Amino acid sequence: NAGVTQTPKFRILKIGQSMTLQCAQDMNHNYMYWYRQDPGMGLKLIYYSVGAGITDKGEVPNGYNVSRSTTEDFPLRLELAAPSQTSVYFCASSRQGKVEAGANVLTFGAGSRLTVL
Amino acid sequence: QKEVEQDPGPLSVPEGAIVSLNCTYSNSAFQYFMWYRQYSRKGPELLMYTYSSGNKEDGRFTAQVDKSSKYISLFIRDSQPSDSATYLCAMSEGSSYKLIFGSGTRLLVRP
């Protein structure tokens, strides 16, 4: 079982460039999430999706866009990269969205480390 | 003030020691409490999950929740070098998808 797969693992961008971080899961999970993790800070939710065709903003959505055309894939797009977007990005998925009886156990990918110079 | 506070460490202990990791929080509506373990250059993985107050034990790991003090703990008995990782607490009101994470405590268990 692959679980949650993220690509690329590492990327260096110049200011103003655009790129897409890919995320795919093979567990048939309805819910998918993008988090960013900065040193000394907790994971911050960027965007989430409750199913194909449905996405919504999290805590820190500015500068990012997402789409969810299939259950399996949830790409994150950075349109105009800025140094403040230097971070480690984690994609996660869960069977359900609500944290009840363990239903919202998140399965994380290995992360994508992005540097914007 | 952050919603969830966690000492970043690092916490260095000898093998076999009992480890105590802690988080405090300010939102009294939190009902679900989780501990995730994150190895270097990896994604977090769920370690323990508790609902409301009380204790939960799983092998060498015990999670405690004290809602009156807004304080949660993770105890690791007979710590092993393989326990060396960053431990993230996370919590939720339950009616929401949203998990609030602590910043993580880095633990190093010395052989």
Coordinates of all heavy atoms in Angstrom, one line a residue, chain A residues 34-95:
Chain A
W34 N -4.0 19.9 2.8 CA -2.6 20.4 2.6 C -2.3 21.2 3.8 O -3.0 22.1 4.2 CB -2.5 21.2 1.4 CG -2.2 20.5 0.1 CD1 -3.1 20.2 -0.9 CD2 -1.0 19.9 -0.3 NE1 -2.5 19.5 -1.9 CE2 -1.2 19.3 -1.5 CE3 0.3 19.8 0.3 CZ2 -0.2 18.6 -2.2 CZ3 1.3 19.1 -0.3 CH2 1.1 18.5 -1.6
Y35 N -1.1 20.8 4.4 CA -0.6 21.5 5.6 C 0.8 22.1 5.2 O 1.5 21.5 4.4 CB -0.4 20.6 6.8 CG -1.6 20.2 7.5 CD1 -2.4 19.1 7.1 CD2 -2.1 21.0 8.6 CE1 -3.5 18.7 7.8 CE2 -3.2 20.6 9.3 CZ -3.9 19.5 8.9 OH -5.1 19.1 9.5
R36 N 1.2 23.1 5.9 CA 2.6 23.5 5.8 C 3.2 23.5 7.2 O 2.5 23.7 8.2 CB 2.8 24.9 5.2 CG 2.1 26.1 5.9 CD 2.4 27.4 5.2 NE 3.7 27.9 5.4 CZ 4.3 28.9 4.8 NH1 3.7 29.6 3.9 NH2 5.6 29.2 5.1
Q37 N 4.5 23.2 7.3 CA 5.2 23.1 8.6 C 6.4 24.0 8.5 O 7.3 23.7 7.8 CB 5.5 21.6 8.9 CG 6.1 21.4 10.3 CD 6.4 20.0 10.6 OE1 6.8 19.2 9.7 NE2 6.1 19.6 11.8
D38 N 6.4 25.0 9.4 CA 7.6 25.9 9.5 C 8.3 25.6 10.8 O 7.7 25.2 11.8 CB 7.1 27.3 9.4 CG 6.4 27.6 8.2 OD1 7.0 27.3 7.1 OD2 5.3 28.2 8.2
P39 N 9.6 25.8 10.9 CA 10.4 25.6 12.1 C 9.8 26.3 13.3 O 9.5 27.5 13.2 CB 11.8 26.1 11.7 CG 11.9 26.1 10.3 CD 10.5 26.3 9.8
G40 N 9.6 25.5 14.4 CA 9.1 26.1 15.6 C 7.6 26.4 15.6 O 7.0 26.9 16.5
M41 N 6.9 26.0 14.5 CA 5.5 26.2 14.4 C 4.8 24.9 14.2 O 5.4 24.0 13.7 CB 5.2 27.2 13.2 CG 6.0 28.4 13.2 SD 5.4 29.6 14.5 CE 3.9 30.1 13.8
G42 N 3.5 24.9 14.6 CA 2.8 23.7 14.3 C 2.4 23.6 12.9 O 2.6 24.5 12.1
L43 N 1.8 22.5 12.5 CA 1.3 22.3 11.1 C 0.1 23.3 11.0 O -0.8 23.3 11.8 CB 0.8 20.9 10.9 CG 1.9 19.8 10.8 CD1 1.4 18.5 11.2 CD2 2.4 19.8 9.4
K44 N 0.1 24.0 9.9 CA -1.0 24.9 9.6 C -1.7 24.4 8.3 O -1.1 24.1 7.3 CB -0.4 26.3 9.3 CG 0.3 26.9 10.5 CD -0.6 27.3 11.6 CE 0.1 28.0 12.7 NZ -0.7 28.2 13.9
L45 N -3.1 24.4 8.4 CA -3.9 23.9 7.3 C -4.0 25.0 6.3 O -4.4 26.1 6.5 CB -5.3 23.5 7.9 CG -6.2 22.9 6.9 CD1 -5.7 21.6 6.3 CD2 -7.6 22.8 7.5
I46 N -3.7 24.6 5.0 CA -3.8 25.5 3.9 C -5.1 25.4 3.2 O -5.9 26.4 3.1 CB -2.7 25.2 2.9 CG1 -1.3 25.3 3.6 CG2 -2.7 26.3 1.7 CD1 -0.2 24.8 2.7
Y47 N -5.4 24.2 2.7 CA -6.7 23.9 2.1 C -7.1 22.5 2.4 O -6.3 21.7 2.8 CB -6.6 24.0 0.5 CG -6.8 25.4 -0.1 CD1 -5.8 26.3 -0.3 CD2 -8.1 25.7 -0.4 CE1 -6.1 27.5 -0.9 CE2 -8.4 27.0 -1.0 CZ -7.3 27.9 -1.2 OH -7.6 29.1 -1.8
Y48 N -8.4 22.2 2.3 CA -8.8 20.9 2.4 C -10.0 20.6 1.5 O -10.5 21.5 0.8 CB -9.3 20.6 3.9 CG -10.6 21.3 4.3 CD1 -11.8 20.6 4.3 CD2 -10.6 22.6 4.6 CE1 -13.0 21.2 4.7 CE2 -11.8 23.2 5.0 CZ -13.0 22.5 5.0 OH -14.1 23.2 5.4
S49 N -10.3 19.3 1.3 CA -11.3 18.9 0.4 C -12.1 17.7 1.0 O -11.5 16.8 1.6 CB -10.7 18.4 -1.0 OG -11.6 17.8 -1.8
V50 N -13.4 17.8 0.9 CA -14.3 16.8 1.4 C -14.7 15.7 0.4 O -15.4 14.8 0.7 CB -15.5 17.4 2.1 CG1 -15.1 18.4 3.2 CG2 -16.4 18.0 1.1
G51 N -14.3 16.0 -0.8 CA -14.6 15.0 -1.9 C -14.3 15.6 -3.2 O -14.0 16.8 -3.3
A52 N -14.4 14.8 -4.3 CA -14.1 15.3 -5.6 C -15.0 16.5 -5.9 O -16.2 16.5 -5.7 CB -14.3 14.2 -6.6
G53 N -14.3 17.6 -6.4 CA -15.1 18.8 -6.8 C -15.3 19.8 -5.7 O -15.9 20.9 -6.0
I54 N -15.0 19.4 -4.5 CA -15.3 20.3 -3.3 C -14.0 20.6 -2.6 O -13.3 19.7 -2.1 CB -16.3 19.6 -2.4 CG1 -17.5 19.2 -3.1 CG2 -16.7 20.6 -1.3 CD1 -18.4 18.3 -2.3
T55 N -13.7 21.9 -2.5 CA -12.5 22.3 -1.7 C -12.9 23.5 -0.9 O -13.9 24.2 -1.1 CB -11.3 22.7 -2.6 OG1 -11.7 23.9 -3.4 CG2 -10.9 21.6 -3.5
D56 N -12.1 23.8 0.2 CA -12.3 24.9 1.0 C -11.0 25.4 1.7 O -10.1 24.6 1.8 CB -13.4 24.6 2.1 CG -14.1 25.9 2.6 OD1 -13.7 27.0 2.2 OD2 -15.1 25.7 3.3
K57 N -11.0 26.7 2.1 CA -9.8 27.2 2.7 C -9.6 26.8 4.1 O -10.6 26.6 4.8 CB -9.9 28.8 2.6 CG -10.0 29.3 1.2 CD -10.2 30.9 1.2 CE -10.3 31.4 -0.2 NZ -10.5 32.9 -0.2
G58 N -8.3 26.7 4.4 CA -8.0 26.5 5.8 C -7.5 27.7 6.5 O -8.1 28.8 6.2
E59 N -6.5 27.6 7.4 CA -6.0 28.8 8.1 C -5.2 29.7 7.3 O -5.2 31.0 7.5 CB -5.2 28.3 9.3 CG -5.9 27.4 10.3 CD -4.9 26.9 11.3 OE1 -4.6 27.5 12.3 OE2 -4.4 25.7 11.1
V60 N -4.4 29.2 6.4 CA -3.4 30.0 5.7 C -3.5 29.8 4.2 O -2.5 29.4 3.5 CB -2.0 29.7 6.2 CG1 -1.8 30.3 7.6 CG2 -1.7 28.2 6.2
P61 N -4.6 30.2 3.5 CA -4.7 29.8 2.1 C -4.1 30.8 1.1 O -4.0 30.5 -0.1 CB -6.3 29.9 1.9 CG -6.7 30.9 2.9 CD -5.8 30.8 4.1
N62 N -3.7 32.0 1.6 CA -3.3 33.1 0.6 C -2.0 32.6 -0.1 O -1.0 32.2 0.5 CB -3.0 34.4 1.4 CG -4.3 35.0 1.9 OD1 -5.4 34.6 1.4 ND2 -4.2 35.9 2.8
G63 N -2.0 32.8 -1.4 CA -0.9 32.4 -2.3 C -0.9 31.0 -2.8 O 0.0 30.6 -3.5
Y64 N -2.0 30.3 -2.5 CA -2.1 28.9 -2.9 C -3.5 28.7 -3.6 O -4.5 29.4 -3.3 CB -2.0 28.0 -1.7 CG -0.8 28.1 -0.9 CD1 -0.9 28.9 0.3 CD2 0.4 27.5 -1.2 CE1 0.3 29.1 1.1 CE2 1.5 27.7 -0.4 CZ 1.4 28.5 0.7 OH 2.5 28.6 1.5
N65 N -3.5 27.7 -4.5 CA -4.8 27.2 -5.0 C -4.8 25.7 -5.1 O -3.7 25.1 -5.2 CB -5.0 27.8 -6.4 CG -5.6 29.2 -6.4 OD1 -6.7 29.4 -5.8 ND2 -4.9 30.1 -7.0
V66 N -6.0 25.1 -5.0 CA -6.1 23.7 -5.1 C -7.3 23.3 -6.1 O -8.1 24.1 -6.4 CB -6.4 23.0 -3.7 CG1 -5.2 23.2 -2.8 CG2 -7.7 23.6 -3.1
S67 N -7.3 22.0 -6.5 CA -8.4 21.5 -7.2 C -8.5 20.0 -6.8 O -7.5 19.4 -6.3 CB -8.1 21.6 -8.7 OG -6.9 20.9 -9.1
R68 N -9.7 19.5 -7.0 CA -9.9 18.0 -6.6 C -10.8 17.5 -7.7 O -12.0 17.4 -7.6 CB -10.5 17.9 -5.3 CG -10.7 16.5 -4.8 CD -9.6 16.0 -3.9 NE -9.8 14.6 -3.5 CZ -10.4 14.3 -2.4 NH1 -11.0 15.2 -1.6 NH2 -10.5 13.0 -2.0
S69 N -10.2 17.0 -8.8 CA -11.0 16.5 -9.9 C -11.3 15.0 -9.7 O -12.3 14.4 -10.3 CB -10.3 16.7 -11.2 OG -9.0 16.1 -11.2
T70 N -10.5 14.3 -8.9 CA -10.7 12.9 -8.6 C -10.6 12.6 -7.1 O -10.0 13.5 -6.4 CB -9.7 12.0 -9.3 OG1 -8.4 12.2 -8.8 CG2 -9.6 12.2 -10.8
T71 N -11.1 11.5 -6.7 CA -10.9 11.1 -5.3 C -9.4 11.0 -4.9 O -9.0 11.3 -3.8 CB -11.6 9.8 -4.9 OG1 -13.0 10.0 -5.2 CG2 -11.5 9.4 -3.5
E72 N -8.6 10.5 -5.8 CA -7.2 10.1 -5.5 C -6.3 11.3 -5.5 O -5.3 11.3 -4.7 CB -6.7 9.2 -6.6 CG -7.4 7.8 -6.6 CD -8.8 7.8 -7.3 OE1 -9.0 8.8 -8.1 OE2 -9.6 6.9 -7.0
D73 N -6.5 12.4 -6.2 CA -5.5 13.4 -6.4 C -5.9 14.8 -5.8 O -7.1 15.2 -6.0 CB -5.2 13.6 -7.9 CG -4.7 12.3 -8.5 OD1 -3.6 11.9 -8.1 OD2 -5.4 11.8 -9.4
F74 N -5.0 15.5 -5.3 CA -5.3 16.8 -4.6 C -4.0 17.7 -4.8 O -3.3 17.9 -3.9 CB -5.6 16.6 -3.2 CG -6.2 17.8 -2.5 CD1 -7.1 18.7 -3.1 CD2 -5.8 18.1 -1.2 CE1 -7.6 19.8 -2.5 CE2 -6.4 19.2 -0.5 CZ -7.2 20.0 -1.2
P75 N -3.8 18.3 -6.0 CA -2.6 19.1 -6.2 C -2.8 20.5 -5.6 O -3.8 21.0 -5.5 CB -2.6 19.2 -7.7 CG -4.0 19.0 -8.2 CD -4.6 18.1 -7.2
L76 N -1.6 21.0 -5.2 CA -1.5 22.3 -4.6 C -0.7 23.2 -5.5 O 0.5 22.9 -5.8 CB -0.9 22.3 -3.2 CG -0.6 23.6 -2.5 CD1 -2.0 24.2 -2.0 CD2 0.3 23.4 -1.3
R77 N -1.2 24.3 -5.9 CA -0.5 25.2 -6.8 C -0.1 26.5 -6.1 O -0.9 27.1 -5.4 CB -1.4 25.5 -8.0 CG -0.7 26.4 -9.0 CD -1.2 26.1 -10.5 NE -0.5 27.0 -11.4 CZ 0.7 26.6 -12.0 NH1 1.2 25.4 -11.7 NH2 1.3 27.4 -12.9
L78 N 1.2 26.9 -6.4 CA 1.7 28.1 -5.9 C 1.8 29.0 -7.2 O 2.5 28.6 -8.1 CB 3.1 28.0 -5.3 CG 3.1 27.4 -3.9 CD1 2.8 25.9 -3.9 CD2 4.5 27.7 -3.3
E79 N 1.1 30.1 -7.3 CA 1.1 30.9 -8.5 C 2.3 31.8 -8.6 O 2.9 31.9 -9.6 CB -0.2 31.7 -8.6 CG -1.4 30.8 -8.8 CD -1.4 30.2 -10.2 OE1 -0.6 30.5 -11.0 OE2 -2.2 29.3 -10.4
L80 N 2.6 32.6 -7.6 CA 3.7 33.6 -7.6 C 4.5 33.3 -6.4 O 4.2 33.9 -5.3 CB 3.2 35.0 -7.7 CG 2.5 35.4 -9.0 CD1 1.8 36.8 -8.8 CD2 3.5 35.5 -10.1
A81 N 5.5 32.5 -6.5 CA 6.2 32.1 -5.3 C 6.9 33.3 -4.6 O 7.5 34.1 -5.2 CB 7.3 31.0 -5.6
A82 N 6.8 33.2 -3.2 CA 7.4 34.3 -2.4 C 8.3 33.6 -1.3 O 8.0 32.4 -1.0 CB 6.3 35.1 -1.7
P83 N 9.3 34.3 -0.8 CA 10.2 33.7 0.2 C 9.4 33.2 1.4 O 9.8 32.2 2.0 CB 11.1 34.8 0.6 CG 11.2 35.6 -0.7 CD 9.8 35.6 -1.3
S84 N 8.2 33.8 1.7 CA 7.4 33.4 2.9 C 6.8 32.0 2.6 O 6.3 31.4 3.6 CB 6.3 34.4 3.1 OG 5.5 34.5 2.0
Q85 N 6.9 31.5 1.4 CA 6.3 30.2 1.1 C 7.4 29.1 1.2 O 7.1 27.9 1.0 CB 5.7 30.2 -0.2 CG 4.4 31.0 -0.3 CD 3.8 31.1 -1.7 OE1 4.5 31.4 -2.7 NE2 2.5 30.8 -1.8
T86 N 8.6 29.5 1.6 CA 9.6 28.5 2.0 C 9.1 27.7 3.2 O 8.9 28.2 4.2 CB 10.9 29.1 2.3 OG1 11.4 29.8 1.1 CG2 12.0 28.1 2.8
S87 N 9.0 26.4 3.0 CA 8.4 25.5 4.0 C 8.4 24.1 3.6 O 8.9 23.7 2.5 CB 6.9 26.0 4.3 OG 6.4 25.3 5.4
V88 N 8.0 23.2 4.5 CA 7.8 21.8 4.2 C 6.2 21.6 4.1 O 5.5 22.0 5.0 CB 8.4 20.9 5.2 CG1 8.1 19.4 4.8 CG2 9.8 21.1 5.4
Y89 N 5.8 21.1 3.0 CA 4.4 20.9 2.7 C 4.0 19.4 2.9 O 4.7 18.6 2.3 CB 4.1 21.4 1.3 CG 4.2 22.9 1.2 CD1 5.4 23.5 0.9 CD2 3.1 23.7 1.4 CE1 5.6 24.8 0.8 CE2 3.2 25.1 1.3 CZ 4.5 25.7 1.0 OH 4.6 27.0 0.9
F90 N 2.9 19.2 3.6 CA 2.5 17.9 3.8 C 1.0 17.7 3.3 O 0.2 18.5 3.6 CB 2.5 17.5 5.3 CG 3.9 17.2 5.9 CD1 4.5 18.2 6.6 CD2 4.5 16.0 5.7 CE1 5.8 18.0 7.1 CE2 5.8 15.8 6.2 CZ 6.4 16.8 6.9
C91 N 0.8 16.7 2.5 CA -0.5 16.3 2.1 C -1.0 15.2 3.1 O -0.2 14.4 3.5 CB -0.5 15.8 0.7 SG -2.1 15.3 0.0
A92 N -2.2 15.2 3.4 CA -2.8 14.1 4.3 C -4.2 13.8 3.8 O -4.8 14.5 3.0 CB -2.9 14.6 5.7
S93 N -4.6 12.6 4.2 CA -6.0 12.2 3.9 C -6.6 11.5 5.1 O -5.9 11.0 6.0 CB -6.0 11.2 2.7 OG -5.4 10.0 3.0
S94 N -7.9 11.4 5.1 CA -8.6 10.7 6.1 C -9.9 10.2 5.6 O -10.5 10.7 4.6 CB -8.9 11.6 7.3 OG -9.8 12.7 7.0
R95 N -10.4 9.1 6.3 CA -11.6 8.5 5.8 C -12.8 9.4 6.0 O -13.7 9.5 5.1 CB -11.8 7.2 6.6 CG -13.0 6.4 6.2 CD -13.0 5.0 6.9 NE -12.8 5.0 8.3 CZ -13.8 5.1 9.1 NH1 -15.0 5.2 8.7 NH2 -13.6 5.1 10.5

